[in-house]
Amino acid sequence: MTAKVTVTSTETIKPSSPTPHHLKVHKLSFLDQLHPTIFSHVGLYYLVDESLSQQPNIPDILNHLKESLSKALTLFYPLAGRINIDRHSIDCNDEGLYYSEARVNCHLLDFLRKPDLDLLNGFYPCHPTKPEPFAKIYPVMIQVNVFECSGIAIGLCLSHKILDGISTSSFLKGWASCSRGCFESVSPSFNAASLFPANNHLPMDSIASLGRSMIKMGNSVTRRFLFDSSALSALKSKVDMGTGIRSPSRVEAVTAFIWKCAMSVSKAKSGIRKPSVLSHAVDLRRRMVPPMEEYSMGNLLWIPSSHCGSEDEIELNSLVGKLRETITEIDADFVRKLQTGDGLSIISKNVEEMTALCSKGPVDYYGFTSWSRFGIYETDFGWGKPIWVSSHKITGSMFMNLVHILETREGDGMEAWITLDEPEMAMLLDHQEFLDFTSVDPSPF
């Protein structure tokens, strides 16, 4: 029997108490403005029956989830509002967060032995390839999926207009804390707009045009690759940064290695070495002086890019060096420039440089994001921590080369969700150096 997801109910969850009048309008920062109205997706999987001393009462668990979410929304009040794109704000009107429940006619353990990404996409309240019109309305959408064995998967769609990866983790921690009765321990901050005020002169048309130039036509394929602890150690030791230079982080090593193999595959497919651009999201909270608090909400990140020309060396050392040089430029001084009015000129210069590069001929673009050490595996609603945290499958004929890196449950490995064109993915799956360090579509166990 083919497993399927059946939605059994939909509703809106409103804050348990009304948002004060002076908080009714949440202004977006200029960093929020730069992000398109798309959803990011994250799924959390719980073996509930193994975490409780008695048979789980699913109706009680579902009701408790909704009650605790309602309490959490009094603190995370913009998430129960509606996006007002033209005015660069969230109308915090307490209309409520989209919430659905669904049944899955298989056991969670069976699903986790060999995750079906098509079935997985059904765990989200909004299909990843069909976000409209929801992404322009709701800051967050949630679906709670119950398996036959009483296992639970919580699928979240989160608007990139208001939440980045760390904000997502903060919201999940806050909701889970409320579920465990620790309401007082949660104190989110929504002051990003005061630190990075909105700007009506951003070159949004040029940014949108640049984004369209990065879209590929073909047949997208998403596959999961595991870099276990031994592979990560071997990759890091493979990089010789020279005397006195610190060894690469896990994220640096994995990112540079995937980039290297992707460029190799692209060359093998087209017969030429095209210039390559890699972007990697960088959190600004930890680079500010003083650092921002844990529950600072918003898109507090920057997305710098590293370039590799058609004649540049593509050895792992040099790629790690390019990546590190790019990321280390995003320091406290850079953040101060963004805050003190130089943000517009920095963005305009970046767009001009990228546009000039893309105008010279075909360019390969790879977008990376890493949710490493975000603490999502600490999300405990009262029945234990998730056994797995997932991303989603990208499907369709219009797509971008994307890589989403997640930690494993034990924290000693990394899982890369890679989306490429079908012929390039087939070649990557036959790339011996790549396969020496990864396992393909592994079980999360």
Side-chain angles (χ1 to χ4, degrees):
M1 180 177 66
T2 302
K4 64 178 181 179
V5 182
T6 303
V7 175
T8 56
S9 66
T10 61
E11 60 184 297
T12 56
I13 305 296
K14 299 183 178 182
S16 58
S17 58
T19 299
H21 182 74
H22 70 284
L23 298 177
K24 285 294 186 181
V25 177
H26 169 68
K27 294 182 178 180
L28 300 178
S29 72
F30 92 81
L31 296 173
D32 295 323
Q33 287 178 267
L34 295 173
H35 287 80
T37 50
I38 60 173
F39 283 132
S40 58
H41 297 73
V42 60
L44 292 83
Y45 302 78
Y46 296 89
L47 293 172
V48 178
D49 51 351
E50 291 191 356
S51 305
L52 300 175
S53 59
Q54 57 188 17
Q55 185 69 22
N57 186 317
I58 293 300
D60 285 349
I61 287 175
L62 295 178
N63 284 331
H64 182 67
L65 272 178
K66 291 191 287 187
E67 290 172 2
S68 60
L69 177 59
S70 180
K71 291 179 181 178
L73 288 176
T74 64
L75 301 173
F76 296 88
Y77 55 92
L79 306 189
R82 296 294 180 265
I83 299 173
N84 192 338
I85 299 171
D86 294 339
R87 297 179 185 174
H88 310 310
S89 65
I90 306 292
D91 184 5
C92 305
N93 52 21
D94 297 336
E95 287 190 14
L97 177 152
Y98 183 99
Y99 185 91
S100 59
E101 293 176 356
R103 297 283 171 167
V104 188
N105 65 335
C106 70
H107 286 229
L108 178 55
L109 281 173
D110 291 337
F111 170 76
L112 292 176
R113 287 190 180 98
K114 188 173 179 59
D116 177 349
L117 299 194
D118 287 314
L119 180 66
L120 179 152
N121 273 2
F123 300 156
Y124 295 109
C126 177
H127 196 279
T129 60
K130 300 176 183 177
E132 301 292 352
F134 305 109
K136 292 184 178 179
I137 301 173
Y138 296 103
V140 174
M141 300 173 70
I142 296 174
Q143 182 168 304
V144 178
N145 307 272
V146 180
F147 291 75
E148 289 183 346
C149 59
S150 300
I152 286 178
I154 300 178
L156 299 99
C157 302
L158 309 116
S159 173
H160 230 320
K161 272 293 176 188
I162 186 172
L163 297 170
D164 61 8
I166 290 182
S167 294
T168 295
S169 177
S170 296
F171 167 60
L172 286 169
K173 290 176 185 175
W175 179 14
S177 294
C178 290
S179 180
R180 299 194 313 273
C182 307
F183 187 83
E184 296 79 8
S185 66
V186 184
S187 183
S189 171
F190 290 93
N191 66 342
S194 63
L195 298 172
F196 304 94
N199 191 313
N200 293 325
H201 302 290
L202 294 174
M204 299 307 297
D205 289 343
S206 297
I207 293 173
S209 177
L210 187 60
R212 287 191 295 270
S213 72
M214 298 173 181
I215 293 176
K216 300 182 66 174
M217 301 299 297
N219 183 29
S220 64
V221 176
T222 300
R223 300 294 292 267
R224 299 167 40 247
F225 300 92
L226 173 67
F227 294 83
D228 62 20
S229 58
S230 60
L232 291 175
S233 297
L235 265 183
K236 291 177 65 176
S237 64
K238 190 178 175 70
V239 182
D240 178 13
M241 296 303 296
T243 304
I245 302 177
R246 66 177 175 83
S247 63
S249 67
R250 299 185 307 168
V251 172
E252 285 178 330
V254 168
T255 299
F257 179 67
I258 294 174
W259 191 19
K260 176 181 185 291
C261 294
M263 284 192 284
S264 173
V265 163
S266 173
K267 180 182 178 182
K269 177 191 173 188
S270 64
I272 61 171
R273 263 280 309 280
K274 290 180 284 186
S276 184
V277 176
L278 178 149
S279 70
H280 204 303
V282 177
D283 176 42
L284 299 181
R285 295 169 183 82
R286 303 166 188 174
R287 287 168 167 78
M288 298 179 68
V289 178
M292 297 183 72
E293 57 268 28
E294 175 188 5
Y295 282 94
S296 297
M297 307 298 289
N299 282 294
L300 294 163
L301 54 83
W302 191 257
I303 307 180
S305 58
S306 303
H307 302 173
C308 188
S310 56
E311 303 299 325
D312 289 354
E313 184 183 5
I314 61 168
E315 291 305 312
L316 197 57
N317 282 15
S318 62
L319 296 180
V320 168
K322 286 178 179 291
L323 181 64
R324 178 173 295 177
E325 181 181 1
T326 297
I327 292 178
T328 53
E329 289 177 354
I330 314 303
D331 56 13
D333 185 57
F334 179 86
V335 178
R336 279 194 294 270
K337 290 178 180 177
L338 292 180
Q339 291 182 269
T340 56
D342 288 341
L344 177 59
S345 61
I346 292 172
I347 292 166
S348 298
K349 181 181 178 182
N350 287 353
V351 171
E352 290 173 3
E353 290 176 348
M354 282 292 294
T355 301
L357 177 64
C358 294
S359 67
K360 295 178 180 178
V363 175
D364 283 327
Y365 170 80
Y366 303 94
F368 280 71
T369 184
S370 169
W371 286 18
S372 176
R373 307 191 191 284
F374 284 10
I376 295 181
Y377 273 101
E378 300 302 312
T379 308
D380 182 358
F381 291 95
W383 56 74
K385 299 175 182 180
I387 192 169
W388 189 41
V389 173
S390 75
S391 184
H392 67 287
K393 178 181 180 180
I394 297 173
T395 60
S397 59
M398 297 176 61
F399 62 97
M400 299 172 72
N401 294 328
L402 296 175
V403 181
H404 188 184
I405 299 172
L406 299 164
E407 286 183 312
T408 57
R409 180 163 51 116
E410 297 80 9
D412 59 351
M414 309 195 85
E415 194 172 278
W417 293 60
I418 302 178
T419 299
L420 297 172
D421 192 17
E422 186 174 27
E424 294 184 16
M425 181 61 76
M427 296 174 78
L428 185 65
L429 291 169
D430 199 36
H431 193 290
Q432 191 55 54
E433 182 184 10
F434 187 73
L435 296 178
D436 286 344
F437 290 90
T438 65
S439 55
V440 183
D441 295 330
S443 168
F445 292 122

